[in-house]
Amino acid sequence: DATTSSLAVCLDTILQKEGITRNTQTMLDEGQSVTGILSEGLPGCEILELTGVSMDALLYYVNRDIPVLAILKNGEAVLITGFNELNVVIMNPATGQLGKMGRKDSAQWFAENGNCFITYVYE
């Protein structure tokens, strides 16, 4: 559905990974924050706002099978879901497809977008 934002798609994906279904687009439309939506949807988790953290530091969470939400300067969002020595795996919310971007290129792209990341850990 064209009215579902990339941010809502990413939030839905995170929650679905944990077995939770929410209408995050409606929650966003009502003015709820990303961290608020995740806190409510993942009660056993601590939500981490990692703005300014380097991409390499984030891969710690990805390595533990926890997706990392990246919010871009244009308001769009993508999900970092995997990596290897050469590439980072990024979900494109518009298509739901996973794509690879070189580690250096992705680190630079995220840095240009303010390194604005949100993830979670189990408490």
Side-chain angles (χ1 to χ4, degrees), residues 8-9 11-13 15 24 38-39 46 48 51 69-70 78 81 85 88-89 97-98 102 104 108-110 112 115:
V9 172
L11 288 169
D12 288 343
T13 303
L15 293 173
T24 59
L38 289 174
S39 294
E46 180 185 354
L48 306 173
T51 300
L69 174 68
V78 296
T81 60
E85 288 174 24
V88 175
V89 179
Q97 298 296 307
L98 297 176
K104 265 188 172 163
Q108 182 180 347
W109 183 56
F110 290 126
E112 287 167 0
N115 279 348

Side-chain angles (χ1 to χ4, degrees), residues 56-77:
D56 281 344
L58 293 176
L59 297 180
Y60 166 81
Y61 301 98
V62 178
N63 194 44
R64 292 176 64 192
D65 200 30
I66 300 172
V68 175
L69 174 68
I71 300 175
L72 309 176
K73 282 191 171 152
N74 64 3
E76 294 293 306

Side-chain angles (χ1 to χ4, degrees), residues 3-80:
T3 60
T4 303
S5 68
S6 61
L7 186 54
V9 172
C10 289
L11 288 169
D12 288 343
T13 303
I14 289 171
L15 293 173
Q16 284 163 4
K17 180 185 179 306
E18 299 297 336
I20 293 149
T21 305
R22 293 276 187 284
N23 187 340
T24 59
Q25 185 62 59
T26 300
M27 297 165 90
L28 289 167
D29 292 345
E30 290 169 353
Q32 290 190 44
S33 70
V34 171
T35 52
I37 292 168
L38 289 174
S39 294
E40 188 261 334
L42 303 171
C45 296
E46 180 185 354
I47 309 307
L48 306 173
E49 289 191 73
L50 302 173
T51 300
V53 171
S54 74
M55 188 193 72
D56 281 344
L58 293 176
L59 297 180
Y60 166 81
Y61 301 98
V62 178
N63 194 44
R64 292 176 64 192
D65 200 30
I66 300 172
V68 175
L69 174 68
I71 300 175
L72 309 176
K73 282 191 171 152
N74 64 3
E76 294 293 306
V78 296
L79 214 50
I80 305 167

